[in-house]
């Protein structure tokens, strides 16, 4: 049963505008850091995202105790089970100052989530949103939700360089527009030895998005030992 998150200035009515800032780091150090702790690349990114959010909120005089990050998971089984069936796992990360200790906490939480039925929230969410839409309050719910502080989504992209009409594709930037009252979200994609995190922000909610991107880069550098 979901519980409400601690109120935050990152959760408020948003405007139609969504500027994007990117942070790109070498993929290999992130993979190495994940392997050292028995974690995944996404666990490392989540630790960096959580640390960044705590720094942003502390700068605003806010100390929520934890931040809740929604992470999508596939509800598809292996083999021929196709279709866009996605569930969500909310990861509540406590305000742990040490980045490695924070990563280890996230690892325990994500391992617990993986032991449950994969994407089990997909059916519940689908039913719930259909009901809300039928009642005409779907958009109101999205605009006023208090279940998560932000969204983070991660896709594994091509390991080799792609070419388009003979031209080298230097970078691929993932962009998923954050809905409702979520003022900042994080989209992650690996490509050709690099890992790019796109910060999608409402400038009225997060006017300091360039500084936030710098914070995320610093958090990832600390976690990977490249700072």
């Amino acid at each position: 049963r979901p519980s409400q998150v601690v109120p935050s200035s990152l959760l408020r009515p948003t405007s139609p505008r969504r500027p994007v800032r990117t942070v790109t780091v070498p993929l290999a150090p992130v993979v190495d850091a994940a392997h050292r702790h028995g974690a995944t690349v996404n666990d490392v990114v989540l630790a960096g995202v959580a640390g960044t959010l705590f720094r942003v909120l502390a700068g605003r005089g806010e100390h929520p105790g934890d931040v809740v990050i929604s992470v999508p998971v596939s509800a598809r089984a292996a083999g021929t089970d196709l279709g866009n069936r996605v569930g969500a796992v909310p990861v509540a990360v406590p305000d742990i100052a040490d980045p490695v200790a924070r990563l280890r906490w996230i690892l325990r939480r994500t391992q617990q989530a993986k032991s449950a039925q994969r994407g089990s929230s997909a059916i519940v969410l689908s039913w719930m949103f259909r009901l809300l839409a039928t009642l005409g309050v779907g958009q109101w719910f999205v605009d006023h939700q208090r279940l998560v502080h932000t969204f983070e989504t991660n896709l594994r992209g091509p390991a080799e360089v792609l070419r388009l009409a003979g031209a080298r594709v230097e970078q691929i930037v993932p962009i998923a527009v954050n809905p409702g009252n979520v003022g900042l979200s994080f989209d992650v994609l690996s490509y050709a030895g690099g890992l790019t995190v796109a910060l999608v922000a409402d400038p009225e909610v997060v006017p300091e998005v360039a500084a936030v991107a710098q914070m995320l880069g610093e958090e990832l550098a600390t976690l990977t030992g490249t700072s």
Side-chain angles (χ1 to χ4, degrees):
R1 182 177 180 178
S3 57
Q4 289 193 338
V5 300
V6 176
S8 161
S9 60
L10 294 176
L11 290 181
R12 46 179 273 198
T14 57
S15 74
R17 296 184 295 159
R18 294 293 187 275
V20 178
R21 297 292 184 274
T22 61
V23 175
T24 300
V25 298
L27 178 60
V30 181
V31 173
D32 291 343
H35 288 173
R36 281 198 304 271
H37 301 286
T40 67
V41 167
N42 200 54
D43 291 333
V44 176
V45 175
L46 281 175
V49 166
T52 300
L53 292 179
F54 286 124
R55 291 173 62 179
V56 171
L57 293 172
R60 299 180 176 191
E62 300 175 43
H63 303 278
D66 64 22
V67 292
V68 180
I69 305 170
S70 178
V71 182
V73 294
S74 174
R76 294 188 304 175
T80 58
D81 182 19
L82 302 178
N84 187 23
R85 293 199 291 140
V86 180
V89 174
V91 181
V93 184
D95 189 358
I96 301 173
D98 180 60
V100 174
R102 191 188 318 129
L103 171 59
R104 290 171 179 164
W105 192 97
I106 290 172
L107 172 60
R108 291 193 296 270
R109 176 66 182 87
T110 55
Q111 285 178 333
Q112 292 170 359
K114 290 172 185 176
S115 66
Q117 182 179 352
R118 189 169 179 82
S120 58
S121 63
I123 296 174
V124 176
L125 290 174
S126 176
W127 174 85
M128 182 181 71
F129 280 111
R130 282 201 300 269
L131 175 61
L132 291 173
T134 300
L135 297 174
V137 294
Q139 189 60 48
W140 182 92
F141 174 82
V142 171
D143 290 339
H144 296 83
Q145 66 84 29
R146 289 293 186 271
L147 301 179
V148 298
H149 289 107
T150 190
F151 299 93
E152 185 265 5
T153 182
N154 191 340
L155 290 175
R156 179 183 297 177
E160 304 298 328
V161 173
L162 300 179
R163 293 186 177 276
L164 182 64
R168 176 190 174 99
V169 177
E170 297 291 345
Q171 184 181 26
I172 302 176
V173 177
I175 301 176
V177 178
N178 41 314
N181 63 348
V182 175
L184 175 65
S185 63
F186 302 82
D187 307 321
V188 189
L189 179 72
S190 60
Y191 168 61
L195 187 74
T196 295
V197 183
L199 291 76
V200 182
D202 182 338
E204 296 184 11
V205 180
V206 191
E208 71 275 38
V209 63
V212 176
Q214 182 177 345
M215 293 178 195
L216 178 59
E218 292 168 354
E219 291 287 330
L220 292 176
T222 300
L223 284 161
T224 58
T226 57
S227 57

